[in-house]
Amino acid sequence: HHLDALLVHVLDHDEVAFPFEGPLRLRALEGRGVVDTDQDAQARYLAAFSAWQSEWRERLTARGVRFVSVSTHEDPISALRRIVFAVR
């Protein structure tokens, strides 16, 4: 049998863009985690997130799994089109 696999990674806009600046106190929505940030947090977060996402994309692609990342801020029709085209 031949199976196709597609992973759709749905992210909140804030996870993708991290639009926060300056020192912040971030509380986890799941669990009790609290992180205090500094003014450089945005750049570090975006770099780490990009590296993490690239690593997963490479791992999945190496195993024949297609990877599509969509944002909750994205137009739903555009997101759905990208998902459908990834399956083709």
Side-chain angles (χ1 to χ4, degrees), residues 18 20-27 34-45:
F18 200 80
F20 314 107
E21 295 179 10
L24 298 169
R25 172 164 282 180
L26 303 172
R27 291 197 174 112
V34 175
V35 175
D36 290 314
T37 69
D38 58 25
Q39 289 163 291
D40 299 324
Q42 183 184 43
R44 285 194 317 272
Y45 171 85

Side-chain angles (χ1 to χ4, degrees), residues 37-69:
T37 69
D38 58 25
Q39 289 163 291
D40 299 324
Q42 183 184 43
R44 285 194 317 272
Y45 171 85
L46 291 173
F49 179 79
S50 178
W52 176 84
Q53 195 172 41
S54 293
E55 180 182 340
W56 273 104
R57 184 182 309 271
E58 289 172 18
R59 286 181 179 190
L60 293 167
T61 301
R63 290 168 175 76
V65 178
R66 295 178 184 105
F67 180 91
V68 177
S69 181

Side-chain angles (χ1 to χ4, degrees), residues 11-32:
L11 299 158
D12 184 79
H13 174 70
D14 291 348
E15 292 177 284
V16 176
F18 200 80
F20 314 107
E21 295 179 10
L24 298 169
R25 172 164 282 180
L26 303 172
R27 291 197 174 112
L29 295 176
E30 301 167 1
R32 297 177 184 233

